[in-house]
Amino acid sequence: MKKRRIILLWLFAGMLLVPGCTLKNAEASSENQSDTATNSEEQTVNDISEMFTDRDKEIGYDEEDSALITLADNGTLCDSDAVQISENTVTITEEGTYILSGTLSNGMIIVDAEDTDKIQIVLNGVEITSAQSAAIYVRSADKVFLTTASGSDNILTNGGTYTTIDDNNIDAVIFSKDDLTLNGAGTLRIKAGAGHGVVSKDDLVLTSGTYDITAASHGLSGKDSVRILSGTFTIVSEKDGIHASNTDDSSLGFVYLADGNFKITAQDDGIHADSSTTILGGDIEIAQSYEGIEGLSIDITGGNISVTASDDGLNAAGGNDSSGFEGTGGDQFAATEGAYIHISGGVIHVNSEGDGIDSNGDLTVSGGDTFISGPVNDGNGALDYNGGAVISGGTFVAAGSSGMAQNFGSSSTQGTVLVSVGSQEAGSVVSLQDSDGIELMQWEPDKVYTSVLISCPELTKDSTYTVSAGTYSEEITLDTLIYGSGQMQGGPGNPEQREMKGTPPDMDEGNKQGTPLDRNGENKQGGPGEAGENQGSSSDTGDSM
């Protein structure tokens, strides 16, 4: 056979980190980043190099030095002594590169090599269905690289059940006991009639390629971690879209996304990590989820992120779903050790029925552009935290209900405004103007809302601004950086914050348009005003998954 070397392709995640700036609409570029993110660029690059090896990114192979496996029902062919064929079960036993093509209507590929062996499997136009197990099962190896050949289309399917074949609980179309890397320049379609799409009991790494995953459970699951450098992902899952969980080591079970294009439709969490979730960039659309992005800690430094959630949009160690961290009977107002959310860059849109952002610890915003269409019920808030909340950069706008509304804390170095605006329709424009009539920010919330929280770099102490929201408009002067706060019954409030300005809706039938209160709590139309009070708790509890 004539020697043919496949062209080596290298894919690297790129990040653009620049200081934040003023927004005119919600479609602003993710180039808006904080000084903090800019200063940490070198550290971020180091982190990427630690997460992905050169071999993880390498999708080239030498066909002459590879074993060719041609799949066919009861007729699979291969002339390598390292490949054992028993009817429709193909077992790879030694280190090397193996190029697969053809079809098995009911069969599987097993890797059963030494625990020091590194094995590359190239899928070049493969269709494998396993009626009762995994299509590809890594029983033993040091590390397996699963590569899609350039331009190829490959399909791996489970038929809906898993029958025990050894002492391992196989429950995925691709199931690996060891480290697993997926990469390539082709397409891999995974259909899990039962169980998960892809599982690694160590690290699951994806650095390139196109993936279309439909799973009865999690889409992508790694025990130690799920690390994604780049690629295109369409995931439809009955549980989490991307899931990392390790009950043995609290430092593991993390998700790390450097870049990529994602569309996730999940019945549970879009992205879930037992420990940390880190997002450096990429285009991420979580079209459906219970909770959008979850982890004990969440760090977002870049990317274009859109989250739709029936509970919390971003959740750090809390929530009332089965994937929460507190456990039944936990103190719903107590901060959880190690829990935090830090946003330093990116463009984030959240549409949530529960809390927009819920941290059972601290919340820090130092850059990026964040827009939250929060809950319409007063039992949740667009912003919910149990520790401290500090904003020092970026643009942050949230519209939601008034009952649980919270502002950032007094340690913030950037101005914020929280006002009650009466009942406003979905799509009613929220805007902020300075004293010269220059528009600093404009946005259209996705749902009805009664309170608005705005923070941007142009808000400075002792300056006057006009806040408009639908039919509501108010001129305010920031004699302190933190203007307005929600008051929580039974939960931790911030006594240093001033009360929310404006009468909450439906508390005064004659004032449903949200007439603002003056400094003394008197209605500016001449009647007494009432400060908004929260009627519920600040966070929910749930059992750990």
Side-chain angles (χ1 to χ4, degrees), residues 91-130:
T91 303
I92 297 170
T93 62
E94 294 180 9
E95 182 168 316
T97 300
Y98 302 83
I99 303 173
L100 278 62
S101 61
T103 299
L104 291 177
S105 60
N106 184 17
M108 65 187 303
I109 309 299
I110 298 176
V111 176
D112 195 5
E114 297 294 328
D115 59 10
T116 56
D117 288 349
K118 289 181 171 61
I119 292 171
Q120 182 179 25
I121 297 175
V122 179
L123 302 180
N124 188 15
V126 166
E127 184 170 354
I128 303 172
T129 297
S130 179

Side-chain angles (χ1 to χ4, degrees), residues 23-35:
L23 280 184
K24 287 293 181 113
N25 56 63
E27 301 302 323
S29 167
S30 61
E31 293 176 356
N32 296 308
Q33 306 286 347
S34 69
D35 290 334

Side-chain angles (χ1 to χ4, degrees), residues 401-407 418-421 450-452 483-487 497-505 517 530-534:
S401 57
S402 298
M404 295 288 289
Q406 285 184 279
N407 202 340
L418 174 64
V419 291
S420 176
V421 299
T450 60
S451 71
V452 171
Y483 183 98
S485 74
Q487 303 295 312
Q497 298 175 352
R498 66 173 72 245
E499 294 178 353
M500 181 189 294
K501 298 302 175 180
T503 302
L517 305 182
E530 299 180 55
E533 293 183 342
N534 292 317

Side-chain angles (χ1 to χ4, degrees), residues 59 210 215 419:
I59 67 173
T210 299
V419 291

Side-chain angles (χ1 to χ4, degrees), residues 154-422:
N154 306 277
I155 302 173
L156 303 177
T157 306
N158 164 264
T161 61
Y162 293 93
T163 299
T164 301
I165 62 175
D166 55 26
D167 58 357
N168 292 317
N169 181 28
I170 301 171
D171 59 356
V173 174
I174 301 174
F175 184 91
S176 178
K177 288 284 293 178
D178 300 297
D179 291 334
L180 177 65
T181 294
L182 275 62
N183 60 23
T187 298
L188 177 56
R189 306 180 196 276
I190 296 172
K191 302 176 182 179
H196 314 293
V198 182
V199 166
S200 171
K201 291 301 182 179
D202 283 333
D203 292 316
L204 176 59
V205 176
L206 302 98
T207 62
S208 55
T210 299
Y211 304 89
D212 189 336
I213 301 171
T214 302
S217 190
H218 304 315
L220 297 172
S221 179
K223 180 178 180 181
D224 290 353
S225 68
V226 177
R227 314 178 189 196
I228 300 178
L229 177 64
S230 188
T232 299
F233 303 85
T234 302
I235 301 174
V236 178
S237 62
E238 294 299 313
K239 290 190 176 179
D240 299 341
I242 299 174
H243 176 92
S245 176
N246 189 316
T247 58
D248 302 322
D249 187 338
S250 61
S251 68
L252 300 175
F254 64 85
V255 172
Y256 185 97
L257 306 184
D259 203 350
N261 293 281
F262 303 82
K263 182 171 183 179
I264 299 173
T265 303
Q267 296 302 312
D268 204 340
D269 300 338
I271 299 171
H272 171 94
D274 278 5
S275 58
S276 64
T277 295
T278 302
I279 299 175
L280 306 184
D283 291 312
I284 302 171
E285 178 188 357
I286 300 177
Q288 177 181 319
S289 65
Y290 185 72
E291 292 189 330
I293 299 173
E294 184 172 62
L296 177 61
S297 63
I298 299 174
D299 288 276
I300 299 175
T301 68
N304 290 289
I305 302 169
S306 173
V307 173
T308 299
S310 59
D311 194 50
D312 301 338
L314 275 61
N315 181 32
N320 61 8
D321 68 319
S322 61
S323 61
F325 296 88
E326 291 180 14
T328 303
D331 183 354
Q332 58 191 356
F333 298 117
T336 301
E337 183 179 358
Y340 70 83
I341 295 175
H342 182 196
I343 300 171
S344 60
V347 177
I348 304 167
H349 292 264
V350 172
N351 184 332
S352 65
E353 297 301 321
D355 299 320
I357 293 181
D358 181 358
S359 175
N360 269 28
D362 294 337
L363 169 65
T364 305
V365 178
S366 58
D369 308 313
T370 303
F371 303 88
I372 300 174
S373 291
V376 298
N377 67 83
D378 283 338
N380 293 285
L383 194 63
D384 183 8
Y385 56 90
N386 287 54
V390 173
I391 186 166
S392 59
T395 297
F396 192 101
V397 188
S401 57
S402 298
M404 295 288 289
Q406 285 184 279
N407 202 340
F408 286 91
S410 59
S411 297
S412 298
T413 58
Q414 178 170 292
T416 70
V417 173
L418 174 64
V419 291
S420 176
V421 299

